[in-house]
Amino acid sequence: MTAAASPDPLAAAPDTLSELPGRAMAREVAEQPAVLRRILSEGAPAIQDVARRIAARAPRFVLLTARGTSDNAALYAKYLLEIRLGLPCGLTSMSTTTAYGARPDLTDVLVVTVSQSGGSPDLVASTRAASEAGAITLAVTNNPDSPLAGVSEHHIDIMAGPEKALPATKTYTASLLALYLFVEGLRGGDGAPAQVLPDRAEQLLARQDEVRTLAARYRFAERMVITSRGYGYPTAKEAALKLMETSYIPALAYSGADLLHGPLAMVDNVSPVIAVVTDGKGGEALQPVLDRLRGRGADLVVIGPGHQVEQASAGFVMPTGDVAEEVQPVLEIIPLQLLAYEVTIARGQDPDAPRALAKVTETH
């Protein structure tokens, strides 16, 4: 059975836009090239200034704090900081501060809190506590007037503009780019590898029909497994989150190494496995996992280089050659955002308004 073509909200007449499911998500996905250009042209100088000021204080350790989609952006920053700077990093457990009242000595520690809205009480409380414990605090948000920005010593505006759909799309890629430029600023780099991203993002968005074909293939999936290694692992986690919150398909994200330590047993030839194969060392490290998955007869979907897609059941070829491995995650998530959108539309649901969710989640 062939799925009906999903509506294109951006091609609809203006007076019908508000009636189409997924209109806001589709529009915000389409805005990403413009957002990336805005950060590179208007936001980069301010990001570099913040990076210079923090680098002058020579933090000895970095703690990253976030929830949800922002947590996946923070994980990307962890890879950048450890690989590009050799700076040890950790992801915080906020309840140690907010629920248990722990007050570790954070002298000379950089605490980076990533949040689209900057409004969640636990993020604000943990950042305030970190500052009181001696930390250098940095907020990375889409709202410079937010409570989180107000309690942080430094702030980076990701400049994504208002995001109305509940699933975060443009704020995720904007956070990735802002964090990349920040880390490059810490190491004295110019962030030149990021300059290709807006054009490559436009090219990916122009291939939505390819993603729609994948969505027709997997619209009835009851479960998905998503895997990657290295810089691609945050992409796997974010793709799983997008699929779960829009289409309600249980999507399990694993590092390729972790997948081999037990979860591989659940892989069969029915539930698809999506592999995010970064072109570089992360993809090389994932190769043994891909071999094992093919050996088990898995329905393997590859998001990655053409030669990897050719060996899979299905896939989406990513641009290679002029895109450095460390910035590929900004692009890798785009076809997966489109997949979440297309699968959700094909299942007769509205990706703009997932059930039981709010745009600002107030955890304590």
Side-chain angles (χ1 to χ4, degrees):
M1 178 178 179
T2 302
S6 58
D8 183 352
L10 300 183
D15 59 350
T16 64
L17 280 174
S18 61
E19 301 173 5
L20 290 174
R23 172 241 181 169
M25 182 179 178
R27 184 177 298 281
E28 288 159 6
V29 168
E31 287 176 10
Q32 288 177 109
V35 171
L36 299 176
R37 287 194 179 94
R38 182 160 60 243
I39 295 169
L40 290 169
S41 62
E42 301 175 25
I47 295 172
Q48 290 171 346
D49 181 62
V50 169
R52 281 194 297 268
R53 285 186 279 141
I54 291 177
R57 296 173 64 178
R60 60 184 172 86
F61 192 87
V62 181
L63 287 173
L64 295 148
T65 305
R67 296 282 193 200
T69 284
S70 294
D71 200 30
N72 299 326
L75 180 59
Y76 168 69
K78 184 177 188 294
Y79 276 90
L80 286 172
L81 287 159
E82 291 184 345
I83 295 170
R84 307 283 286 173
L85 270 72
L87 198 58
C89 301
L91 299 175
T92 61
S93 299
M94 279 174 279
S95 63
T96 62
T97 298
T98 60
Y100 291 91
R103 292 295 183 267
D105 181 4
L106 298 180
T107 304
D108 298 327
V109 172
L110 171 61
V111 173
V112 181
T113 306
V114 186
S115 171
Q116 297 141 41
S117 69
S120 186
D122 59 348
L123 295 173
V124 175
S126 64
T127 301
R128 184 185 292 111
S131 181
E132 293 169 353
I136 308 161
T137 55
L138 167 65
V140 180
T141 81
N142 197 36
N143 183 2
D145 299 319
S146 64
L148 178 59
V151 301
S152 300
E153 183 179 355
H154 303 280
H155 178 257
I156 288 175
D157 183 359
I158 66 172
M159 305 179 71
E163 189 173 59
K164 296 183 179 180
L166 285 178
T169 53
K170 64 178 181 174
T171 53
Y172 178 69
T173 50
S175 296
L176 296 189
L177 179 54
L179 288 163
Y180 169 75
L181 293 174
F182 170 67
V183 174
E184 284 299 287
L186 288 178
R187 65 190 293 269
D190 60 6
Q195 296 298 321
V196 302
L197 295 176
D199 288 347
R200 296 296 171 269
E202 280 187 342
Q203 293 165 5
L204 292 174
L205 289 167
R207 297 166 58 193
Q208 187 163 354
D209 285 349
E210 295 178 45
V211 180
R212 192 169 294 139
T213 299
L214 282 178
R217 179 184 175 112
Y218 296 115
R219 62 180 296 206
F220 297 116
E222 296 183 359
R223 182 187 69 204
M224 292 187 182
V225 174
I226 307 177
T227 188
S228 189
R229 292 203 69 180
Y231 286 115
Y233 181 44
T235 305
K237 289 175 67 67
E238 174 61 12
L241 176 59
K242 283 294 152 287
L243 284 161
M244 287 188 289
E245 69 182 350
T246 56
S247 68
Y248 316 142
I249 296 174
L252 308 174
Y254 294 100
S255 157
D258 287 332
L259 184 63
L260 296 183
H261 284 268
L264 184 67
M266 71 177 173
V267 172
D268 53 31
N269 61 359
V270 177
S271 299
V273 178
I274 299 176
V276 181
V277 185
T278 302
D279 186 26
K281 293 183 178 179
E284 293 170 8
L286 190 63
Q287 187 60 54
V289 182
L290 300 176
D291 294 340
R292 290 285 298 277
L293 289 169
R294 282 192 289 266
R296 288 186 59 82
D299 186 355
L300 180 62
V301 184
V302 166
I303 310 298
H307 70 279
Q308 294 284 4
V309 173
E310 289 173 0
Q311 300 177 58
S313 306
F316 186 96
V317 177
M318 294 296 297
T320 58
D322 65 343
V323 184
E325 181 179 4
E326 60 268 20
V327 296
Q328 287 177 36
V330 181
L331 301 177
E332 287 168 342
I333 191 60
I334 291 176
L336 292 162
Q337 291 171 342
L338 291 173
L339 181 64
Y341 169 84
E342 292 289 352
V343 167
T344 304
I345 293 294
R347 289 163 71 99
Q349 296 152 197
D350 184 357
D352 283 350
R355 62 194 181 205
L357 296 180
K359 188 62 180 172
V360 179
T361 303
E362 295 191 357
T363 46
H364 295 270

